[in-house]
Amino acid sequence: MRHLYYRQRLVKSGYGFTLLELLVVMVIIGLLAAYVGPKYFSQVGKSEIKMAQAQIDALEKALHQYRLDVGSYPSTENGLAALITQPNNEPRWQGPYLSKATPQDPWGRPYVYKYPGDNAEFDLFSMGKDGQIGGEGEAADITNW
């Protein structure tokens, strides 16, 4: 009985929220999330692209150092693994040229390396978010040329 008394007293004194007030607050929160969410996720996409560009730049520098030591870039068959482990046919190898294992692109795929390249001395690129050659926006390839 005492519990019922306090409950009635809270309702009469105006404490608590009505269902309508709670729904209004939920709608406002939903509108804010709909406005802020796309802006936040577009920034995530831009940061992935910048990360891929930075990794390609670091790999490019390691490849140049490899070339200075060995006399040529690693073959397509040896690939970027030649920056970590010495190829069998390279006695002048002075590596490793990377402090860690060869990174994958921000989307979890290996970088594509080709020597000799079609667009530069060597081609090094990520196929972007979609994993397909070509594309636009976040799906565009990130390249060294």
Side-chain angles (χ1 to χ4, degrees):
M1 191 71 163
R2 186 177 229 186
H3 178 65
L4 184 60
Y5 169 76
Y6 286 116
R7 190 172 181 187
Q8 288 175 347
R9 187 168 180 194
L10 283 174
V11 172
K12 286 183 182 177
S13 64
Y15 294 117
F17 297 102
T18 66
L19 181 59
L20 182 61
E21 291 170 330
L22 290 174
L23 288 174
V24 168
V25 169
M26 297 288 282
V27 167
I28 291 171
I29 290 172
L31 289 172
L32 286 172
Y35 178 72
V36 172
K39 291 184 183 291
Y40 171 75
F41 287 112
S42 72
Q43 293 300 320
V44 170
K46 289 178 186 175
S47 68
E48 288 172 333
I49 291 169
K50 288 182 181 183
M51 181 182 220
Q53 290 169 336
Q55 287 177 334
I56 285 174
D57 185 51
L59 290 170
E60 212 175 2
K61 288 176 182 168
L63 286 163
H64 290 313
Q65 185 62 46
Y66 179 97
R67 184 175 107 353
L68 287 173
D69 290 346
V70 173
S72 68
Y73 292 106
S75 66
T76 302
E77 293 78 33
N78 289 334
L80 297 175
L83 298 174
I84 301 294
T85 54
Q86 181 175 6
N88 292 334
N89 57 351
E90 296 298 345
R92 296 186 298 174
W93 189 83
Q94 304 270 326
Y97 298 94
L98 296 173
S99 59
K100 297 179 182 176
T102 307
Q104 293 193 333
D105 71 10
W107 301 279
R109 291 182 294 276
Y111 285 97
V112 178
Y113 171 76
K114 182 179 177 188
Y115 176 75
D118 296 329
N119 302 293
E121 199 166 3
F122 61 86
D123 290 349
L124 177 62
F125 63 97
S126 165
M127 292 184 275
K129 186 176 184 175
D130 64 351
Q132 304 290 322
I133 301 264
E136 294 181 12
E138 288 182 20
D141 296 345
I142 297 112
T143 65
N144 70 320
W145 62 86

